[in-house]
Amino acid sequence: MNKTTGVITGINGNMITVSFEGSVTQNEVGFAVRGDERLKSEVIRIQNNQAFLQVFEDTRELKVGDTVEFTDELLSVQLGPGLLGQIYDGLQNPLPELAEKFGFFLPRGVIMDALRPEQNEWEFTPLVRKGDRIKAGHALGTVPEGEFTHLIMVPFDFQGDFTVQNIVEKGKYRVNDPVVKIKGERNQTHELSMTFDWPVKLPITAYRRKLLPTEPMITKVRIIDTFFPVAKGGTYCIPGPFGAGKTVLQQITSRYAEVDIVIIAACGERAGEIVETMREFPKLTDPRTGKSLMERTIIIANTSSMPVAAREASVYTATTLGEYYRQMGLNVLLLADSTSRWAQAMREVSGRLEEIPGEEAFPAYLESRIAEFYERSGVVELYNGSTGSLTIGGTVSPAGGNFEEPVTQATLKVVGAFHGLSRDRSNARRYPAIDPLESWSKYSSVVDKKIIDDANRFLQKGSEVHQMMMVIGEEGTSVEDFIIYLKSEFLDAVYLQQNAFDKVDAATSPERQKYVSALIDDILNHDFEFESKDEARKYFYELRQKFIDWNYLKMDSEDFKKQEQSILTMIKGLNRDEKGV
Amino acid sequence: MKKVYNRILSVVGNVITVRAEGIAYGELAEISTRRGKSLAQVIKLDGDIVSLQVFAGSRGVSTSDEVRFLGHPMRVSFSENMLGRIFNGSGEPRDGGAAITEDVIPIAGPSVNPAKRIIPKRMIRTNIPMIDVFNSLVASQKLPIFSVSGEPYNELLARIALQAEVDMIILGGIGLKFDQYMYFRNVLEEGGALNRSIFFIHTASEPTVEGLMVPDLCLAVAEKFALKGKEVLVLLTDMTNFSDALKEIAITMEQVPSNRGYPGDLYSQLAARYEKAVDFDTAGAITILAVTTMPGDDVTHPVPDNTGYITEGQFYLRNGRIEPFGSLSRLKQQVNEDTREDHRAIMDGMIQLYAQYMESEEKRSMGFRMSAWDQKLLRYGKAFESRMMDLSVNIPLEEALDRGWTIMAECFEPHETGMRSDLISQFWPENGNTAAVSPDSAEESMVRSGKKSEPDSKKSSAKRKPAAKKKQAGPKKSSKKTDRSQARTKQAADSGND
Ligand SMILES: Nc1ncnc2c1ncn2[C@@H]1O[C@H](COP(=O)(O)OP(=O)(O)O)[C@@H](O)[C@H]1O
Ligand SMILES: [Mg+2]
């Protein structure tokens, strides 16, 4: 089929109007041509013989009358071995290679191969033989990619059954080398290499079925794993005003989360933040594999000064890469910071299309787009019986820090856990500033329910006492109530709060969480007798001190045991041995 | 080949339309009206209808005025000759000097590849404890001062500009009041910094849209100098005026507003400017300090709100002090690990205690009886406010940290502070909890008696000048800055010890 071309008839910000003859597909890619530059664009509306395209680049110096070449291909990413450890922009251009070639600044109109097809060779081991029956999503062979066994699969959009006609021997190949030939039901044949494209806005559904997310996804953040857990294949969101700690929380999660692969989508936020990850990860070792953390990470960076349309695409790019590794039976975590910037990108486009605006000028389809995005998470049972998961965690940046706004509200309707950050807590430097009274999770915790219920009760009652004290003063409060308040503050200080910048405290294993929370539970339920509030306060402050010091000690160290003894001595009458701990 | 048109189709707000062909998006035009010439920029193309935003405003534009397209987008010259000069919002001289036309560069150029950025590591010392201790400023940071009119935000900007060790200062005034403009001029002149400064000034009496280019002009020039190895500090005041100019254009173009009339792309527009802050690993750096006045003192107003999401923290300036709550330097953890080991603990611990003080203070103001603990907190809060928060306090970081321990020791038992035991054993003053005469008593008494009285501020500025000179004598031009800041830290530590 002949590729369609058109000419620009209007330019408004990053949107161009193009009149064309022939056929144009919604969401297909077109290129606005200006001299040597070809500016990548995507069709977002077709009306009569006019197509509206969002341009993924700065539109300055384009003119009415310039040519647009349509490609008849949807906006896609390239899948195959070599994605891990990469740093891409929202359209999968490798940023380090752009830097190598073009220096400090991002060039306009440049498209680069995502998988270094020339440099890399992969050790391919066939999994199927001539005559085997296969279909979309089935593994044809494997290549080792770092710690992982990367499955080379039949492209996910191949329809029907296929027969393997021939397959190469085990050996080294480049991603674009043909490795297998298959024949379809109507005798059509395909030569497949180790890579294929997938349109980013379509979910990958080459699996047997979706399962309910049940297994905890350990983040090593105490307040999350214990109180507001996330499940593998689940979804969660982190709304919070600026500076409340959304990004830091995602950064520590990207380091410590117990998953196979982490995909970081830096979507419309500061470039500086992703630089930290880019520079630090290669130097940090992943305790699970002993290799560098970067080897399990993919970064999609479309930061706030990069083109807005590509920001919209970046979230889909990241999700597609996540789904791809999930198809290999791996547990993948996608962290998107911030989904509000993605929503704003949609809003900008919608405004230029002069669509009827909804609340705060967001488009009417905002809610369904957010739902579709989080729906791409999940635990799936694959054709070979193994399971893979994609967990999605997104930050939300509500205007004015007010959760009653469209993006937060639409997100809360679809996610499985809500980690709401509170301005009061971050102001008081109580990090992570997840509000323990507002947040919730539908997933199950690593810690016994009884302990959590106790803790919640104390937090709730403690907060009530605190409120009351603000009204009637400390002198009007009974010693009993005051002790409840002190207990809740103690729990907050030594367990809910966690120092992200301390090597030990930053990551608490589930075992440690169980161990420490049990002791805290004992303390919460212990009947303390104090003469006065001042005495009670003094006691709890000392206890807090000991606990904080304890938190900074490695669990397998001598000092840890010593400190624990010192704490136990302080809590006279509490005997842990009785409980067989 | 310049195209000239004589037929203006419409004049709406500060946007005009003409019928023209072969015009590029973003191209510049010159309009000659009876009031003189003005630049205008193409902001929309629809067939052969071209919409232009007129920088000098549309007042007095007649349908038969001449529109001449210049064939290029907005540019600015860039040369050493600009140092010490003052330009307007279109980049033309406003100091009566000759126009500079050499080496023109486009403004609003492409963004820096994130892969080329480096982790900022150089602290900019200001000798203001609320900054150095609690919210350290870092080279390449972008940071606004959130304030309301009447607060001394421009004074704070000027003080930081003079005290910070940078090679160049670029001041962008957007809707700047004339007296404030003169103030900056005079202060930088007196401080001997004028000859390393460039001003782009749009004043409050000029049409709002003319201020729109100021940030881009400043940042384009800053970028070039930074690429040549210069440490550039860009001051932008006031970015709320800039945002209001954006709003005005958006409304004229009938864009659907997202929030209180501001366009949906306000975030992206502001980010495009602030993200120009950068540290080039093989060259210089751009640090941006901006003023964002909050209409109605409301931080949830779209301008401060969007700004806060973009910048690397913010300083809240209220009642002449930098507020501990809300103020934030997101880059502080990049630098406060290597200053002194108690820096982070002091930073968090003192603020947590101050938060508790605020509660006690609230209870006190409601007439509740104060417990012994409340009394301690009240005492602490007062000491913190007068000896740390007050802007007249002008001491190096190390001295401020020592002062932090002194204040805590005067008010609390060690364990009440929540500080880690190892730090307490190392830093807790020997004669703690006695309100003993502390080494910083000279300054204290100065601050305690008559806050911010004239002689005091003279005294402190007199104190700081020799120090600045001493630093300049040091290895100023050593190319690797980490060394420089370490040397600086060491120097300050030494001076703190003697
Ligand atoms: N868990 C934490 N521990 C210590 N400091 C934190 C923590 N979370 C946030 N902060 C502080 O707050 C600042 C802002 O956090 P950040 O995650 O960038 O906020 P947001 O993304 O919500 O705007 C950080 O630079 C850091 O100083
Ligand atoms: Mg953030």
Side-chain angles (χ1 to χ4, degrees):
Chain A
M1 197 185 83
N2 255 344
K3 300 260 167 80
T4 308
T5 60
V7 283
I8 297 181
T9 58
I11 307 171
N12 182 10
N14 67 349
M15 198 185 70
I16 55 177
T17 321
V18 179
S19 75
F20 64 92
E21 302 279 327
S23 124
V24 163
T25 314
Q26 174 75 331
N27 295 116
E28 88 168 87
V29 170
F31 288 94
V33 186
R34 165 120 290 264
D36 307 337
E37 286 181 333
R38 291 161 55 78
L39 308 187
K40 196 171 184 176
S41 320
E42 180 189 13
V43 176
I44 50 174
R45 176 193 276 179
I46 307 165
Q47 227 166 10
N48 306 324
N49 272 347
Q50 294 245 305
F52 296 73
L53 286 83
Q54 56 174 344
V55 185
F56 295 118
E57 310 255 10
D58 186 353
T59 51
R60 261 182 299 177
E61 295 185 54
L62 280 182
K63 290 182 176 174
V64 167
D66 283 349
T67 307
V68 172
E69 298 171 3
F70 292 93
T71 62
D72 197 30
E73 279 166 15
L74 303 189
L75 182 68
S76 301
V77 288
Q78 215 186 334
L79 303 174
L83 292 165
L84 293 180
Q86 294 266 19
I87 300 162
Y88 293 123
D89 73 4
L91 303 175
Q92 214 193 5
N93 293 300
L95 289 170
E97 279 156 68
L98 283 176
E100 232 168 77
K101 224 170 148 185
F102 299 96
F104 282 120
F105 299 96
L106 287 169
R108 184 163 84 159
V110 173
I111 291 168
M112 287 186 110
D113 228 301
L115 292 175
R116 302 170 186 256
E118 299 310 318
Q119 286 109 307
N120 292 339
E121 285 198 326
W122 301 93
E123 179 74 34
F124 179 80
T125 309
L127 284 182
V128 292
R129 278 181 308 196
K130 183 170 178 176
D132 281 355
R133 308 269 291 164
I134 49 163
K135 58 182 195 170
H138 281 195
L140 299 166
T142 65
V143 301
E145 183 179 14
E147 278 297 299
F148 303 101
T149 302
H150 188 117
L151 298 186
I152 306 300
M153 293 172 276
V154 180
F156 305 129
D157 55 351
F158 274 37
Q159 299 192 354
D161 289 327
F162 294 85
T163 319
V164 177
Q165 292 229 294
N166 58 50
I167 185 157
V168 295
E169 308 264 287
K170 182 178 164 76
K172 282 194 185 283
Y173 301 91
R174 293 177 204 274
V175 280
N176 289 328
D177 293 343
V179 289
V180 63
K181 196 165 166 191
I182 59 173
K183 193 168 84 178
E185 285 155 347
R186 290 184 314 278
N187 281 333
Q188 77 281 25
T189 58
H190 302 271
E191 284 226 305
L192 303 179
S193 67
M194 289 190 264
T195 169
F196 58 91
D197 289 353
W198 183 260
V200 292
K201 291 185 180 169
L202 299 181
I204 296 170
T205 53
Y207 49 76
R208 253 187 227 150
R209 59 197 175 111
K210 246 184 170 170
L211 308 171
L212 271 184
T214 48
E215 201 189 322
M217 197 244 352
I218 303 300
T219 63
K220 304 206 181 112
V221 177
R222 292 188 289 261
I223 187 170
I224 295 180
D225 295 344
T226 301
F227 291 95
F228 309 109
V230 179
K232 286 188 182 135
T235 52
Y236 68 108
C237 69
I238 310 175
F242 61 78
K246 299 180 291 297
T247 303
V248 172
L249 197 53
Q250 284 212 334
Q251 280 171 342
I252 51 179
T253 307
S254 67
R255 283 186 189 196
Y256 302 117
E258 292 196 346
V259 291
D260 298 311
I261 287 166
V262 177
I263 299 180
I264 300 173
C267 172
E269 297 272 308
R270 281 173 286 275
E273 294 173 339
I274 201 63
V275 174
E276 279 172 47
T277 307
M278 268 159 42
R279 304 272 168 174
E280 301 286 349
F281 270 33
K283 290 185 259 166
L284 298 172
T285 41
D286 178 359
R288 292 155 52 89
T289 62
K291 298 257 176 100
S292 122
L293 260 186
M294 201 60 210
E295 289 184 26
R296 73 158 197 180
T297 310
I298 304 173
I299 297 176
I300 309 293
N302 213 100
T303 54
S304 59
S305 62
M306 290 163 74
V308 172
R311 183 198 300 170
E312 194 249 351
S314 69
V315 163
Y316 296 108
T317 297
T319 312
T320 307
L321 300 186
E323 287 175 333
Y324 178 59
Y325 280 97
R326 177 202 66 195
Q327 291 299 114
M328 298 172 205
L330 298 172
N331 293 309
V332 185
L333 170 63
L334 164 61
L335 297 168
D337 186 9
S338 154
T339 61
S340 293
R341 304 303 161 218
W342 163 64
Q344 286 179 348
M346 282 193 258
R347 175 168 74 184
E348 283 187 34
V349 172
S350 165
R352 296 218 168 87
L353 287 173
E354 295 175 7
E355 292 172 340
I356 296 171
E359 223 182 313
E360 290 186 23
F362 283 107
Y365 45 79
L366 174 75
E367 239 179 63
S368 59
R369 289 282 167 84
I370 290 177
E372 281 163 19
F373 165 59
Y374 283 104
E375 269 305 299
R376 291 176 73 168
S377 69
V379 190
V380 300
E381 186 185 301
L382 299 161
Y383 294 138
N384 64 7
S386 67
T387 57
S389 71
L390 173 63
T391 312
I392 300 183
T395 68
V396 186
S397 318
N402 178 3
F403 293 173
E404 302 297 318
E405 56 86 51
V407 184
T408 315
Q409 288 305 314
T411 305
L412 284 179
K413 279 190 194 164
V414 294
V415 292
F418 161 53
H419 302 158
L421 303 191
S422 117
R423 170 62 80 215
D424 285 346
R425 285 183 73 84
S426 71
N427 272 351
R429 305 293 193 267
R430 294 183 178 212
Y431 295 120
I434 297 174
D435 189 326
L437 300 176
E438 297 283 316
S439 302
W440 48 258
S441 166
K442 295 178 186 163
Y443 306 115
S444 48
S445 167
V446 298
V447 164
D448 278 351
K449 189 164 179 308
K450 184 225 169 235
I451 292 183
I452 295 165
D453 290 344
D454 284 355
N456 279 331
R457 212 175 54 243
F458 274 94
L459 288 171
Q460 189 65 46
K461 281 205 299 200
S463 150
E464 281 162 20
V465 175
H466 184 219
Q467 302 280 321
M468 193 123 85
M469 278 198 300
M470 293 309 291
V471 182
I472 60 169
E474 205 174 296
E475 73 260 36
T477 310
S478 69
V479 178
E480 290 71 46
D481 278 353
F482 191 68
I483 291 174
I484 291 175
Y485 166 69
L486 287 175
K487 282 178 172 174
S488 75
E489 284 288 291
F490 167 77
L491 167 66
D492 189 341
V494 308
Y495 200 83
L496 303 188
Q497 293 173 47
Q498 195 170 346
N499 186 344
F501 301 110
D502 180 86
K503 283 205 175 59
V504 177
D505 198 34
T508 308
S509 67
E511 296 68 43
R512 186 166 178 159
Q513 292 187 34
K514 284 183 201 146
Y515 192 75
V516 173
S517 64
L519 176 55
I520 291 178
D521 190 51
D522 291 347
I523 293 171
L524 293 180
N525 288 310
H526 186 70
D527 280 327
F528 290 96
E529 306 240 323
F530 295 112
E531 296 287 309
S532 68
K533 288 174 209 154
D534 279 334
E535 190 198 353
R537 171 162 28 229
K538 184 162 186 296
Y539 179 86
F540 273 101
Y541 280 13
E542 261 172 56
L543 194 61
R544 175 184 72 181
Q545 184 73 49
K546 283 188 193 292
F547 247 89
I548 289 175
D549 290 343
W550 198 35
N551 282 342
Y552 290 111
L553 300 171
K554 280 211 179 101
M555 196 178 179
D556 50 15
S557 68
E558 265 309 299
D559 289 345
F560 181 88
K561 285 267 161 282
K562 259 198 256 161
Q563 188 69 10
E564 183 180 1
Q565 269 317 313
S566 145
I567 289 169
L568 291 178
T569 321
M570 208 181 142
I571 319 161
K572 49 188 183 311
L574 271 182
N575 191 344
R576 303 205 86 201
D577 293 339
E578 267 173 23
K579 303 194 166 180
V581 178
Chain B
M1 184 212 75
K2 285 177 185 161
K3 305 171 206 102
V4 182
Y5 297 86
N6 274 326
R7 176 112 196 90
I8 293 176
L9 301 178
S10 72
V11 182
V12 180
N14 290 317
V15 176
I16 62 165
T17 55
V18 294
R19 204 180 283 278
E21 275 176 12
I23 305 304
Y25 190 69
E27 185 171 337
L28 221 52
E30 195 176 70
I31 302 181
S32 312
T33 72
R34 70 189 72 176
R35 282 165 52 222
K37 287 186 174 170
S38 167
L39 289 179
Q41 187 183 28
V42 175
I43 55 173
K44 187 176 174 182
L45 292 170
D46 185 6
D48 58 358
I49 306 290
V50 181
S51 305
L52 296 126
Q53 151 189 320
V54 184
F55 293 139
S58 63
R59 205 166 289 158
V61 171
S62 131
T63 52
S64 57
D65 281 345
E66 186 181 283
V67 179
R68 198 163 58 92
F69 286 91
L70 303 182
H72 61 76
M74 184 71 182
R75 303 187 296 198
V76 64
S77 5
F78 149 71
S79 99
E80 299 275 341
N81 297 334
M82 297 172 84
L83 291 167
R85 297 288 310 273
I86 300 173
F87 303 90
N88 68 11
S90 300
E92 293 150 0
R94 72 178 302 146
D95 54 4
I100 296 176
T101 49
E102 62 233 59
D103 295 324
V104 282
I105 52 167
I107 66 165
S111 46
V112 171
N113 186 333
K116 277 301 246 185
R117 288 179 181 260
I118 53 174
I119 301 179
K121 282 268 183 261
R122 284 173 295 133
M123 180 170 161
I124 297 181
R125 284 168 174 262
T126 66
N127 285 1
I128 301 170
M130 288 317 289
I131 297 179
D132 294 358
V133 177
F134 298 97
N135 295 295
S136 315
L137 182 64
V138 181
S140 87
Q141 191 158 18
K142 42 187 176 285
L143 203 119
I145 298 170
F146 282 180
S147 198
V148 292
S149 45
E151 294 284 344
Y153 44 81
N154 283 333
E155 287 75 2
L156 181 59
L157 270 194
R159 174 170 168 196
I160 297 172
L162 280 182
Q163 216 141 294
E165 278 190 317
V166 292
D167 299 323
M168 290 184 55
I169 299 163
I170 299 185
L171 173 72
I174 307 120
L176 194 63
K177 292 208 186 69
F178 188 77
D179 59 332
Q180 293 287 302
Y181 155 47
M182 292 317 283
Y183 167 81
F184 274 110
R185 230 198 80 97
N186 295 339
V187 170
L188 292 188
E189 185 151 35
E190 279 165 29
L194 204 56
N195 58 1
R196 52 187 175 98
S197 304
I198 302 172
F199 285 22
F200 288 93
I201 302 291
H202 163 259
T203 65
S205 59
E206 290 152 348
T208 15
V209 271
E210 204 165 7
L212 270 178
M213 288 292 152
V214 169
D216 287 337
L217 291 169
C218 294
L219 293 163
V221 173
E223 195 165 83
K224 281 289 172 193
F225 276 106
L227 284 170
K228 290 200 155 190
K230 295 274 194 265
E231 291 287 314
V232 190
L233 176 64
V234 176
L235 310 174
L236 298 172
T237 175
D238 162 353
M239 287 299 276
T240 304
N241 294 335
F242 171 75
S243 310
D244 286 342
L246 287 176
K247 172 164 100 172
E248 192 185 303
I249 292 293
I251 289 175
T252 307
M253 296 301 289
E254 293 178 351
Q255 284 177 25
V256 184
S258 68
N259 206 335
R260 297 198 225 180
Y262 290 90
D265 65 355
L266 179 63
Y267 174 88
S268 301
Q269 294 285 0
L270 289 171
R273 277 76 194 190
Y274 282 115
E275 284 282 302
K276 289 278 173 195
V278 65
D279 194 346
F280 293 115
D281 56 355
T282 52
I286 302 175
T287 307
I288 303 179
L289 273 181
V291 167
T292 298
T293 50
M294 300 182 287
D297 198 9
D298 176 11
V299 70
T300 68
H301 180 279
V303 177
D305 187 51
N306 278 290
T307 304
Y309 277 116
I310 293 163
T311 52
E312 287 154 336
Q314 64 279 331
F315 296 154
Y316 268 86
L317 184 66
R318 179 165 296 145
N319 302 323
R321 300 193 293 228
I322 296 176
E323 281 283 316
F325 304 124
S327 292
L328 169 74
S329 162
R330 294 173 192 261
L331 299 187
K332 63 189 175 198
Q333 56 262 28
Q334 309 293 0
V335 293
N336 61 16
E337 190 169 21
D338 312 323
T339 46
R340 213 170 83 175
E341 59 196 304
D342 58 332
H343 187 163
R344 288 181 174 177
I346 287 277
M347 170 183 91
D348 285 331
M350 289 197 84
I351 299 294
Q352 284 185 349
L353 288 167
Y354 188 74
Q356 293 190 49
Y357 150 76
M358 297 285 279
E359 275 192 12
S360 295
E361 173 59 27
E362 196 181 326
K363 285 191 271 180
R364 194 194 59 79
S365 67
M366 289 166 73
F368 294 128
R369 195 171 58 84
M370 295 282 91
S371 67
W373 175 242
D374 288 320
Q375 299 290 3
K376 287 183 174 191
L377 286 170
L378 288 178
R379 182 165 173 210
Y380 167 79
K382 294 282 175 295
F384 186 77
E385 286 177 352
S386 64
R387 285 146 69 190
M388 282 285 194
M389 279 171 68
D390 200 290
L391 273 185
S392 67
V393 178
N394 190 1
I395 51 175
L397 168 72
E398 291 71 15
E399 204 178 305
L401 292 175
D402 291 342
R403 185 178 287 192
W405 288 105
T406 309
I407 291 174
M408 286 195 291
E410 283 169 20
C411 305
F412 303 110
E413 298 293 334
H415 68 82
E416 291 170 334
T417 60
M419 301 295 258
R420 282 161 62 176
S421 301
D422 54 333
L423 292 176
I424 288 178
S425 60
Q426 197 180 342
F427 291 101
W428 197 260
E430 295 275 301
N431 49 356
N433 203 15
T434 55
V437 184
S438 48
D440 52 20
S441 57
E443 274 256 344
E444 266 168 55
S445 58
M446 167 198 113
V447 177
R448 273 180 192 155
S449 66
K451 267 195 220 163
K452 279 185 265 169
S453 63
E454 254 313 291
D456 284 348
S457 55
K458 281 235 178 75
K459 197 158 131 200
S460 53
S461 65
K463 240 180 102 178
R464 114 182 141 241
K465 264 183 194 151
K469 272 208 192 101
K470 192 163 128 204
K471 280 174 204 154
Q472 258 170 10
K476 176 92 208 241
K477 283 272 142 34
S478 81
S479 64
K480 214 49 243 168
K481 305 110 177 193
T482 357
D483 301 341
R484 211 160 92 194
S485 71
Q486 267 163 13
R488 224 183 288 158
T489 316
K490 200 162 163 293
Q491 197 177 47
D494 293 344
S495 68
N497 286 342
D498 57 35

